[in-house]
């Protein structure tokens, strides 16, 4: 149950009501560009979810057939095919009782376990643990768990290098702690460290917005995210969206 603008809705009900009324109560604005987030149909009814399903204006399943075929060809590459296959297998294994009919989704594995299992499926040996120093305690736990699962871990913190923020043009009044030394986050160095270690797979933990982007840009091995930085919600950014209809209504204001 979700409360939105003072009204109670079921999850899908809330989604449908919001999507159809977000433009002042009228029909959804027609767009020629791809905009899956504004599709008028609930996911189970969409063409991307089932053959013969429903589509909205700009649906890439219907309108981007050349790109669909181009993407399909990419999955033919041996390394990509195996990566995608194991990712899909891992996705299915995260639910219990799949043989039962009628089936009711029953998730049973947290993301940290998914990461361990997927890395094992891919026969990865070397894991890069790339973390924010604000989550140092969590990083220590994850490092031990990875080690216990037989992985060789290279862990590197965001402040590695100790480079002052002034070096990238940050003014003293733009620091967190005004008046003292403050090391910049160094995702490029983090990427270089794990690249040098020739990691098979990297796990990101709590990097800031933008810093994570730089890491993705410079990292050579495939990378997944265990948790993202959200200082207010205990690193659960969706929490703000779940209550955006009431306590976080101010998020919708420019």
């Amino acid at each position: 149950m979700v409360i939105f603008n003072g009204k109670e809705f079921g999850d899908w009900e809330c989604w449908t009501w919001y999507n159809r009324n977000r433009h002042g109560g009228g029909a959804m604005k027609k767009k020629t560009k791809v905009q899956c987030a504004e599709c008028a149909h609930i996911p189970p009814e969409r063409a991307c979810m089932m053959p013969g399903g429903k589509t909205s204006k700009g649906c890439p399943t219907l309108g981007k057939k050349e790109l669909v075929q181009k993407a399909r060809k990419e999955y033919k590459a041996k390394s990509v095919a195996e990566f995608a296959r194991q990712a899909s297998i891992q996705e299915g294994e995260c639910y219990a009782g799949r043989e039962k009919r009628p089936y009711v989704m029953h998730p049973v594995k947290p993301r940290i376990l998914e990461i361990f299992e997927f890395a094992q499926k891919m026969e990865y040996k070397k894991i890069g643990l790339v973390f924010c120093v604000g989550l140092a305690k969590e990083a220590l736990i994850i490092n031990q768990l990875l080690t216990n699962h037989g992985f060789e871990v290279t862990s590197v913190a965001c402040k590695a290098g100790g480079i002052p923020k002034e070096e990238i043009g940050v003014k003293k009044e733009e620091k967190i702690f005004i008046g003292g030394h403050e090391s910049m986050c160094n995702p490029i160095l983090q990427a270089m460290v794990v690249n040098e270690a020739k990691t098979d797979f990297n796990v990101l933990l709590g990097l800031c917005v933008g810093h994570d982007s730089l890491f993705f840009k410079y990292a050579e091995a495939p990378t997944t995210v265990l948790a993202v930085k959200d200082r207010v919600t205990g690193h659960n950014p969706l929490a703000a969206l779940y209550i955006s209809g009431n306590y976080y209504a101010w998020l919708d204001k420019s």
Side-chain angles (χ1 to χ4, degrees):
M1 188 66 66
V2 178
I3 298 177
F4 189 85
N5 283 358
K7 299 180 180 180
E8 292 187 355
F9 299 91
D11 288 343
W12 287 123
E13 233 183 358
C14 179
W15 176 88
T16 303
W17 182 90
Y18 173 75
N19 197 48
R20 291 175 179 172
N21 291 275
R22 64 198 298 264
H23 298 297
M28 186 179 75
K29 285 186 177 180
K30 295 182 178 180
K31 295 181 181 293
T32 55
K33 64 179 180 179
V34 173
Q35 191 60 281
C36 291
E38 294 189 359
C39 181
H41 311 292
I42 61 174
E45 296 179 354
R46 298 180 185 183
C48 60
M49 296 285 285
M50 60 178 294
K54 300 175 182 179
T55 63
S56 288
K57 187 74 172 179
C59 173
T61 301
L62 180 66
K64 297 290 184 181
K65 291 184 178 180
E66 288 187 9
L67 288 182
V68 170
Q69 293 307 315
K70 186 176 181 179
R72 291 178 83 166
K73 289 181 180 179
E74 289 295 313
Y75 290 107
K76 301 296 182 182
K78 186 177 180 180
S79 60
V80 177
E82 181 60 10
F83 194 96
R85 186 178 77 88
Q86 293 294 359
S88 289
I89 291 172
Q90 185 64 51
E91 177 189 12
E93 291 178 353
C94 289
Y95 298 90
R98 287 174 289 153
E99 72 287 350
K100 296 178 181 179
R101 294 294 181 275
Y103 177 60
V104 178
M105 295 180 77
H106 180 186
V108 292
K109 295 182 180 180
R111 188 176 180 89
I112 184 67
L113 182 56
E114 281 192 68
I115 291 173
F116 297 156
E117 293 183 349
F118 177 72
Q120 289 166 343
K121 285 181 172 67
M122 291 300 297
E123 299 183 357
Y124 292 148
K125 304 299 181 185
K126 298 180 179 180
I127 304 295
L129 176 56
V130 180
F131 68 96
C132 167
V133 291
L135 284 85
K137 292 180 180 179
E138 293 85 348
L140 180 60
I141 295 171
I142 296 165
N143 184 81
Q144 187 60 57
L145 290 172
L146 285 165
T147 301
N148 291 346
H149 279 77
F151 298 107
E152 178 185 332
V153 184
T154 296
S155 60
V156 54
C158 62
K159 300 296 184 180
I163 300 174
K165 287 186 174 180
E166 285 83 355
E167 190 164 320
I168 54 172
V170 176
K171 301 174 183 178
K172 64 179 182 179
E173 64 270 18
E174 295 172 327
K175 295 180 180 180
I176 300 172
F177 300 103
I178 298 173
H181 169 82
E182 198 161 290
S183 296
M184 62 176 277
C185 291
N186 201 340
I188 296 178
L189 176 60
Q190 288 178 293
M192 289 179 172
V193 169
V194 295
N195 290 346
E196 184 180 66
K198 299 188 182 304
T199 56
D200 301 309
F201 196 51
N202 299 316
V203 178
L204 252 63
L205 176 65
L207 265 60
C208 302
V209 172
H211 296 143
D212 52 5
S213 303
L214 281 173
F215 179 83
F216 292 137
K217 181 178 177 66
Y218 284 86
E220 295 173 357
T223 301
T224 193
V225 179
L226 174 58
V228 298
K229 172 69 67 62
D230 193 316
R231 300 165 179 85
V232 174
T233 64
H235 312 300
N236 174 21
L238 290 179
L241 302 186
Y242 294 146
I243 54 176
S244 62
N246 40 58
Y247 296 112
Y248 269 67
W250 52 269
L251 281 175
D252 201 32
K253 307 297 181 182
S254 58

